Amino acid sequence: MRVCVITTVHPPSDIRISKELDTLVKAGYDVVYIAQKGKFDNDKVTFWPITVYHDRIKRLIKGSREAFGKALEANADIYHFHDPELIGLGKKLKRHGKKVVYDIHEEYPSVILSKNWIPKILRPVIARLADTYERRAVEKMDGIVVVVPEQLERFPNKKEVAILPNYPETEFLNSMRKNTDEDKVRFVYSGSIDVDRSIKEMIDAFFMLNNKYNISLDLLGPIHNEELREYINHKQEESDALTYRGVLSYTDAIEVVSQCSIGLMVMHRGRSKEMSSPLKMFEYLGLGLPIIASDFKKWHEVLDEKPCALFVDPDSAEDIAEKMEILIKDDNLRSQMRDNAIKISRKYTWKSVEDRLLKLYRSL
């Protein structure tokens, strides 16, 4: 059976999509993958690259058109797309009599409310329109994939669903885990760098402590806001202890994180963030990093099982600095939280949930 997986937004090496591709290949599916040109190393998947469009409108129109043409050429039994801007493509495939699955990575109407590039006065209207559009589209799809159960509240009548949390490949994390016994306490943030991620607050908190302690802060990931890029560049000039490492391959990013002492997972409030199940949480746990995290109820459900995190007000640099200082000064607490993190991580493995995707496919 042939499956065609499509994204025009994510890079071809996107880790969530890559895990799903591996699961499908292991199950014996013939997989065609349509994504932007870029590095892709899985030789068991047929990769059909499409043009990279940095302009959102061009990507929406030209990218979707190019992807649709290749999708028809693939002549697959099941089509699985990953971006809300491909909903129109999904509808067209349905009109051609195809089986279509929509993989919904986030609660997009809530995400729109925090998008800095959309004028603030327009965000509520656009969010409502997006909500209506997506709900109606989901009714036409043969199945959907979501990350957390809370996402299904918007689609109460959808029966063919798979809940696939962002759990990592724990064998890989186990192989990368290191003992960090050096005197320097290294903080790390890995992920999208945007205004809704409390980046300024984390950096400000770090600078409140930088002159008092032997510490460093590494930032990894794409920067989506030019003002924020300038702010980070300016702060790097103030201290060599702050390093922006750019966008790294997944393996290289994990290598950097594994050498650090404490993982930062601070994001501003918002429904999409507060109900999220971020991959970085489970990566930090698997690598044995104590975590400083936003005080979100959903995150407590995981991190309170065996105490391995300190929670903060994501809008308060002072609170973040206070929790940083607690961990800097208490080696025994860091060691205890490290052990707890590793123990917790054993529950949250991709292997434990990947069959949900195959079960959905079988139902179609």
Side-chain angles (χ1 to χ4, degrees), residues 206-220:
F206 175 76
F207 272 87
M208 291 176 191
L209 305 170
N210 186 37
N211 291 330
K212 294 173 61 178
Y213 302 101
N214 184 20
I215 59 177
S216 66
L217 170 59
D218 289 307
L219 303 176
L220 295 74

Side-chain angles (χ1 to χ4, degrees), residues 317-335:
E318 291 76 14
D319 191 20
I320 298 169
E322 180 183 325
K323 300 307 192 298
M324 282 180 162
E325 190 166 27
I326 289 171
L327 291 177
I328 292 168
K329 294 166 71 173
D330 196 331
D331 294 350
N332 290 332
L333 177 60
R334 286 205 314 275
S335 178

Side-chain angles (χ1 to χ4, degrees), residues 276-287:
S276 67
S277 173
L279 175 61
K280 70 169 65 64
M281 177 195 298
F282 303 106
E283 290 170 345
Y284 290 163
L285 292 174
L287 292 170

Side-chain angles (χ1 to χ4, degrees), residues 168-293:
E169 296 280 7
T170 49
E171 294 86 354
F172 172 66
L173 294 181
N174 292 344
S175 71
M176 299 291 283
R177 190 185 304 139
K178 296 178 175 62
N179 289 317
T180 53
D181 297 327
E182 60 184 76
D183 292 335
K184 178 180 286 188
V185 176
R186 294 181 59 182
F187 293 91
V188 64
Y189 170 86
S190 177
S192 292
I193 297 176
D194 211 339
V195 291
D196 62 342
R197 306 297 172 115
S198 300
I199 302 297
K200 283 188 175 182
E201 288 82 356
M202 287 187 279
I203 293 174
D204 289 348
F206 175 76
F207 272 87
M208 291 176 191
L209 305 170
N210 186 37
N211 291 330
K212 294 173 61 178
Y213 302 101
N214 184 20
I215 59 177
S216 66
L217 170 59
D218 289 307
L219 303 176
L220 295 74
I223 299 178
H224 297 291
N225 180 276
E226 285 307 311
E227 182 182 336
L228 199 51
R229 185 187 302 276
E230 292 176 11
Y231 180 79
I232 292 170
N233 289 340
H234 172 68
K235 287 295 185 179
Q236 283 189 108
E237 292 173 1
E238 291 185 20
S239 173
D240 293 338
L242 171 65
T243 305
Y244 171 59
R245 295 184 175 270
V247 180
L248 306 178
S249 71
Y250 184 69
T251 300
D252 289 345
I254 292 298
E255 175 67 29
V256 171
V257 175
S258 71
Q259 297 171 5
C260 295
S261 319
I262 298 162
L264 299 176
M265 197 175 74
V266 187
M267 304 179 190
H268 290 305
R269 294 179 181 85
R271 177 173 163 79
S272 178
K273 299 291 182 294
E274 291 181 51
M275 72 179 196
S276 67
S277 173
L279 175 61
K280 70 169 65 64
M281 177 195 298
F282 303 106
E283 290 170 345
Y284 290 163
L285 292 174
L287 292 170
L289 269 64
I291 296 172
I292 293 177

Side-chain angles (χ1 to χ4, degrees), residues 92-215:
K92 283 194 231 178
L93 289 170
K94 284 302 301 171
R95 289 197 289 271
H96 280 73
K98 305 296 185 178
K99 296 281 187 182
V100 180
V101 172
Y102 175 25
D103 203 314
I104 309 173
H105 293 203
E106 297 183 86
E107 188 176 88
Y108 294 113
S110 300
V111 172
I112 288 170
L113 294 174
S114 64
K115 287 297 183 185
N116 202 46
W117 56 272
I118 301 175
K120 197 167 186 178
I121 194 170
L122 297 179
R123 289 178 209 169
V125 176
I126 294 173
R128 285 196 297 272
L129 291 172
D131 181 47
T132 301
Y133 179 64
E134 189 175 44
R135 285 174 190 261
R136 289 176 178 172
V138 163
E139 292 175 5
K140 295 179 170 63
M141 302 301 155
D142 296 284
I144 59 172
V145 177
V146 297
V147 182
V148 293
E150 289 83 354
Q151 286 177 270
L152 295 177
E153 293 171 7
R154 297 177 53 232
F155 316 109
N157 299 321
K158 201 67 187 173
K159 304 300 181 189
E160 302 298 343
V161 305
I163 302 170
L164 279 177
N166 279 321
Y167 296 165
E169 296 280 7
T170 49
E171 294 86 354
F172 172 66
L173 294 181
N174 292 344
S175 71
M176 299 291 283
R177 190 185 304 139
K178 296 178 175 62
N179 289 317
T180 53
D181 297 327
E182 60 184 76
D183 292 335
K184 178 180 286 188
V185 176
R186 294 181 59 182
F187 293 91
V188 64
Y189 170 86
S190 177
S192 292
I193 297 176
D194 211 339
V195 291
D196 62 342
R197 306 297 172 115
S198 300
I199 302 297
K200 283 188 175 182
E201 288 82 356
M202 287 187 279
I203 293 174
D204 289 348
F206 175 76
F207 272 87
M208 291 176 191
L209 305 170
N210 186 37
N211 291 330
K212 294 173 61 178
Y213 302 101
N214 184 20
I215 59 177

